[in-house]
Amino acid sequence: MFVPLLITLRIILAMVPLAAFSLHASTVSLFDFEDAKIPSDAEVQGVELELTRGQGVSLGKQALLVNYPNESLFKKVFFETEESWGVEAFDASSLALEITNLSEDSTQLWITLQDASQSVTGHINIAAGSGGTYYIDLDGPIQKLNLGMTGWPPRQAPEVGENAIPFQYAWGARQIDVSTLQHIGLYMKGNLTERTLVIDNIRIVPNDNGDTAVLKGLVNKYGKASRLNWPTKVHSDEDLLAYGEVEGKELAQPRAFEGRSQFGGWADGPRLEATGYFRVEKHDGKWTLIDPEGYLFFAVGIANTRFSNTYTVTGVDYESPQERKDEFIASDLRRELFEWLPAKDDPLADHYSYAGSIHTGALERGQTFSFYTANLERKYGDDYVEKWVDVTLSRMQSWGFTCLGNWIDDRFIGNGRVPYFAHVWIRGNHKRVSTGNDYWGPIHDPFDPEFVESVRESVTAVTDKVKNDPWCIGVFADNEISWGNLYGDLNRFGIVINTLGRPVSESPAKMAFVEILRAKYGSIDSLNDAWQADVGSWESFEDGFSHEGALEGSRLEDFSMLSEDLASQYFKTVRAAVKAEMPNHLYLGARFADWGMTPEAVQAAARHTDIVSYNMYTEGLPGHFEEWLAELDRPSILGEFHFGSIDRGMFHGGICTAANQVERGVKYTNYVRSVLESPYFVGTHWFQYVDSPTTGRAIDGENYNSGFVSVTDTPYPDLINAARELHEELYEIRFGN
């Protein structure tokens, strides 16, 4: 269902003249494609290859042309050797290559490099019809540092090539052992249109990335890159006030979106049963939300409209964190990133906070600061929070959004102007289970009796805030749970494998699995026959079962059953609490990440949620996913997507990128249109309202250009104008004939 389609390799040799280029003298060439055949190290998944001449910025007489179709989620050409290519590393090394994008659209190309024990993944955005030298740093002095930022500031890299452009880091190890490099993968995922690239001169080059001076004073007093310039950059408080005044005049004369109901539904369309609250039904073959007045409603919104992710780590900590006393510099590297931070007696010192636990970063905990809220105070004065709420709601209305997405500031609850979603984090002392690859941490053990109480208490806390507000569409609970994925059976059934390996005394889920299997098989001999196992007794099975070998036959079927039973127990337990406490609101489950969902978990969610929710960072709705949705035939919502660029002083474009700000708007339009055309979706939410901090958000260092506004609260007009234009046609596109 989620398995990418594989397209047969087709090799066509094209003989055309080649453009000239220059290489640095000290390089180790891996692939220059000068032979009259595709290198034997090359393999493909879902792409077509041919050799070509005279196309692209290429040095050699011949280059590799790669066609990435749009039929499947992952398309990849990779170069792989069993041992390594035997490259002797320089003191500091980069992998460089020439790439030309022959497509009519910009291209986000992903790269994965793997040595004998670890890997790194990065990506680059190449504008339509352009190309050049691109590189990814593999080792060296700076690679050994932990900056606490996903995207690092650009550096001059003449040793790589004039005007060479770095890949942006995505995930994995920052340091790769070049001497054991054995895999280079170049892939795309979820692109809406076919792309064609010319790739040449894959090589290892030395780099000089040991100078940390570029990191000192990286951001100015407004939290923006100090050494870069761009239109609308804020240089003074007067700039903040001037931009705010111009926007204030625009918002004072709000743009009207004709034909909408009080709640943002399609007042010009059919009117169905009105219950006074949001609900969901299938109408004329399409799943849709129905607003409290009975009008068809599509939930186009922005998620994460709050302050919590606007804080960045300063490098300072306290001997007594609770009292904020006895501060000391815990990281000189982090502290020196800032040209300015407020003194203790500065009025803006109120914008300091503290992170008691950091998921990924230079420190495990420490002082944080929000340049965004400080800029809001500079812009709006002492009552900046109230003004921010009012301006944000006015923006949503002016930009044509019909709702606020997941994760909002509590001040938006009961706002009476823009519908919203509530969120429940399930906390408590109940036990957890593990997939063996738990990105955000081990997940709930839903069979633990304590889990029921944890859910009840967590839901009740949100109920007290929402209080049957008709503007509340529904409730999300938790987020991006690591259910597993389809990259091999061990990943898909990691929860089951790890749980079976534990004793029942430690794991209620293990006890539940034992009871399910005993009810199915009765005797241990029957289980052994079915699983081709050799377990001495049920008591021995209770102590721990170690899965080994291939997963097939009855064992595969049972692992699938147990996986779905565990997910089902989770979703139905949370649903019961939500419906008991908030019967008038929809339950949307825990949003699935594409790296953390299995068919079993999604099937379980489809049975117990009102709307199945996904976070999907692609160019648009993948075709193969539409097939999966058709099998489920349940209302669905996309809770996160975004596109960013690095042309406005940011160091990272985000998970999905665009060539520039104009194209961010184009990609927004294309993505939402692809969702509107699906009969299964009832909404889609952009992530997020405000850019990440330039120096990385406190929890994990993300520093993406993912916002509709910058950290200086300056809107991005190209993105906003594109969104407005699309939102004018929102209901005609979705429901019109």
Side-chain angles (χ1 to χ4, degrees):
M1 298 162 191
F2 293 106
V3 179
L5 300 175
L6 298 183
I7 298 178
T8 306
L9 168 63
R10 186 181 65 188
I11 301 175
I12 305 172
L13 301 182
M15 308 297 285
V16 212
L18 181 72
F21 212 80
S22 63
L23 260 179
H24 191 278
S26 300
T27 65
V28 178
S29 177
L30 295 180
F31 302 100
D32 61 11
F33 308 107
E34 291 305 308
D35 292 339
K37 59 183 179 179
I38 305 294
S40 60
D41 290 2
E43 298 185 46
V44 298
Q45 292 178 355
V47 305
E48 296 175 343
L49 303 181
E50 62 182 85
L51 295 175
T52 184
R53 292 179 182 273
Q55 297 191 77
V57 286
S58 176
L59 252 180
K61 297 178 180 179
Q62 196 155 250
L64 184 69
L65 187 144
V66 188
N67 182 63
Y68 293 87
N70 63 331
E71 288 89 352
S72 59
L73 184 58
F74 288 97
K75 284 82 54 179
K76 183 176 184 179
V77 55
F78 59 99
F79 303 86
E80 193 167 69
T81 180
E82 289 186 7
E83 297 295 331
S84 73
W85 287 292
V87 177
E88 291 297 325
F90 301 101
D91 291 338
S93 304
S94 298
L95 183 136
L97 68 166
E98 269 71 64
I99 311 172
T100 305
N101 178 16
L102 301 183
S103 317
E104 295 181 357
D105 301 298
S106 79
T107 293
Q108 183 174 5
L109 179 69
W110 296 73
I111 188 169
T112 294
L113 306 174
Q114 185 173 330
D115 64 19
S117 61
Q118 58 191 357
S119 66
V120 63
T121 296
H123 53 79
I124 194 71
N125 193 283
I126 309 169
S130 71
T133 298
Y134 301 88
Y135 70 95
I136 181 168
D137 290 333
L138 304 181
D139 57 18
I142 285 186
Q143 296 304 112
K144 295 176 177 150
L145 300 177
N146 189 336
L147 305 184
M149 299 185 293
T150 303
W152 293 358
R155 66 177 179 85
Q156 294 296 315
E159 70 282 354
V160 178
E162 188 176 355
N163 300 318
I165 302 170
F167 279 83
Q168 297 174 28
Y169 174 82
W171 59 78
R174 293 277 187 178
Q175 282 265 107
I176 290 293
D177 182 359
V178 180
S179 66
T180 64
L181 182 66
Q182 57 189 211
H183 176 99
I184 304 168
L186 298 165
Y187 69 95
M188 295 184 196
K189 60 174 187 174
N191 49 307
L192 289 177
T193 60
E194 180 179 290
R195 303 294 207 281
T196 301
L197 302 182
V198 175
I199 296 169
D200 201 6
N201 297 310
I202 302 175
R203 60 197 185 274
I204 303 297
V205 300
N207 69 55
D208 179 19
N209 70 345
D211 187 2
T212 59
V214 68
L215 302 175
K216 294 182 179 180
L218 187 65
V219 296
N220 62 19
K221 65 184 291 186
Y222 302 102
K224 299 298 293 182
S226 56
R227 300 182 185 92
L228 302 176
N229 283 298
W230 59 92
T232 73
K233 182 177 182 179
V234 169
H235 296 276
S236 65
D237 289 6
E238 288 72 25
D239 286 347
L240 277 175
L241 295 172
Y243 290 140
E245 183 178 349
V246 170
E247 187 190 17
K249 291 178 181 178
E250 179 183 328
L251 294 178
Q253 299 178 341
R255 179 168 178 163
F257 287 82
E258 302 295 335
R260 293 194 180 182
S261 71
Q262 175 189 188
F263 292 92
W266 192 28
D268 286 348
R271 191 168 189 178
L272 308 181
E273 179 186 359
T275 63
Y277 294 94
F278 283 90
R279 61 185 185 86
V280 67
E281 74 168 67
K282 182 178 276 190
H283 175 73
D284 282 350
K286 296 179 180 179
W287 285 104
T288 180
L289 285 159
I290 309 297
D291 79 8
E293 297 178 308
Y295 294 107
L296 306 182
F297 182 94
F298 191 84
V300 58
I302 300 178
N304 207 32
T305 306
R306 56 179 182 167
F307 295 146
S308 62
N309 280 2
T310 67
Y311 288 84
T312 192
V313 175
T314 66
V316 172
D317 203 352
Y318 305 94
E319 296 290 352
S320 302
Q322 295 293 332
E323 296 81 21
R324 305 289 198 274
K325 290 182 179 179
D326 303 322
E327 72 175 44
F328 63 94
I329 304 297
S331 170
D332 289 320
L333 184 65
R334 286 294 302 179
R335 183 61 185 84
E336 292 176 354
L337 294 176
F338 308 100
E339 280 188 346
W340 171 93
L341 284 170
K344 292 180 182 178
D345 58 352
D346 190 304
L348 294 180
D350 288 345
H351 301 281
Y352 282 118
S353 188
Y354 191 81
S357 176
I358 294 172
H359 183 269
T360 307
L363 297 172
E364 294 182 358
R365 60 186 178 276
Q367 182 193 74
T368 61
F369 184 76
S370 173
F371 285 98
Y372 181 63
T373 58
N375 288 330
L376 290 177
E377 183 170 351
R378 290 171 172 135
K379 185 175 182 179
Y380 298 122
D382 293 341
D383 57 347
Y384 71 91
V385 176
E386 290 72 21
K387 288 184 178 177
W388 172 76
V389 170
D390 180 63
V391 168
T392 299
L393 291 172
S394 295
R395 284 170 172 169
M396 295 302 108
Q397 293 172 314
S398 174
W399 300 345
F401 287 103
T402 61
C403 67
L404 296 165
N406 192 32
W407 289 331
I408 59 171
D409 189 287
D410 282 354
R411 295 171 184 86
F412 292 111
I413 293 177
N415 70 79
R417 294 169 59 184
V418 178
Y420 63 92
F421 291 82
H423 183 266
V424 175
W425 278 119
I426 298 172
R427 315 288 190 187
N429 295 321
H430 54 274
K431 294 184 182 298
R432 266 68 174 177
V433 294
S434 173
T435 64
N437 185 21
D438 309 314
Y439 181 75
W440 294 114
I443 71 175
H444 310 288
D445 185 337
F447 292 104
D448 186 350
E450 287 293 321
F451 179 66
V452 176
E453 182 60 20
S454 297
V455 173
R456 188 195 65 79
E457 291 180 358
S458 301
V459 171
T460 299
V462 174
T463 306
D464 293 341
K465 298 175 183 177
V466 173
K467 296 178 181 176
N468 290 322
D469 181 6
W471 293 84
C472 178
I473 298 172
V475 183
F476 293 98
D478 291 325
N479 184 59
E480 294 187 339
I481 292 174
S482 297
W483 297 108
N485 55 57
L486 290 187
Y487 308 130
D489 288 339
L490 295 182
N491 286 321
R492 178 173 176 177
F493 300 115
I495 292 176
V496 175
I497 293 169
N498 280 280
T499 300
L500 288 177
R502 301 176 65 186
V504 295
S505 59
E506 296 179 359
S507 173
K510 171 61 178 294
M511 177 60 79
F513 286 178
V514 172
E515 291 173 354
I516 292 168
L517 293 171
R518 290 191 76 159
K520 178 176 181 178
Y521 289 107
S523 71
I524 196 67
D525 289 339
S526 295
L527 176 72
N528 283 328
D529 288 343
W531 284 19
Q532 296 297 294
D534 185 21
V535 182
S537 65
W538 282 114
E539 289 73 19
S540 174
F541 190 79
E542 289 177 0
D543 289 339
F545 172 79
S546 178
H547 166 73
E548 296 177 359
L551 187 54
E552 55 191 11
S554 295
R555 190 184 299 197
L556 175 61
E557 293 174 6
D558 288 344
F559 277 27
S560 179
M561 172 188 67
L562 295 174
S563 178
E564 188 166 341
D565 283 346
L566 186 140
S568 184
Q569 183 72 12
Y570 167 82
F571 286 112
K572 75 178 181 182
T573 301
V574 179
R575 178 185 178 85
V578 169
K579 293 303 180 181
E581 296 288 334
M582 291 181 276
N584 295 313
H585 300 299
L586 298 167
Y587 170 47
L588 295 92
R591 303 179 307 169
F592 288 106
D594 57 3
W595 49 260
M597 64 179 173
T598 65
E600 291 80 11
V602 177
Q603 287 279 10
R607 285 201 305 273
H608 299 292
T609 62
D610 296 310
I611 300 172
V612 185
S613 52
Y614 309 88
N615 295 343
M616 186 166 292
Y617 288 92
T618 54
E619 283 193 349
L621 193 61
H624 81 282
F625 193 62
E626 188 80 1
E627 297 173 11
W628 165 244
L629 293 168
E631 290 182 31
L632 288 178
D633 193 19
R634 292 292 298 152
S636 303
I637 195 167
L638 279 166
E640 287 186 18
F641 75 102
H642 69 218
F643 302 97
S645 181
I646 55 173
D647 62 343
R648 290 297 182 271
M650 300 295 287
F651 303 140
H652 202 292
I655 299 173
C656 289
T657 60
N660 49 49
Q661 294 301 315
V662 171
E663 199 182 55
R664 290 182 78 202
V666 173
K667 287 183 176 291
Y668 174 87
T669 299
N670 293 341
Y671 189 103
V672 177
R673 275 187 173 274
S674 77
V675 177
L676 287 167
E677 291 167 0
S678 168
Y680 307 105
F681 280 95
V682 300
T684 183
H685 299 157
W686 172 279
F687 184 91
Q688 57 187 353
Y689 181 48
V690 186
D691 281 341
S692 305
T694 310
T695 49
R697 66 180 186 180
I699 187 173
D700 59 5
E702 283 188 5
N703 54 348
Y704 300 161
N705 170 222
S706 53
F708 263 70
V709 302
S710 73
V711 72
T712 58
D713 198 46
T714 306
Y716 289 104
D718 297 305
L719 178 58
I720 290 162
N721 290 337
R724 276 177 172 155
E725 185 175 339
L726 176 66
H727 298 162
E728 290 275 11
E729 304 177 277
L730 181 69
Y731 288 116
E732 285 74 14
I733 296 171
R734 176 62 177 170
F735 301 112
N737 296 322

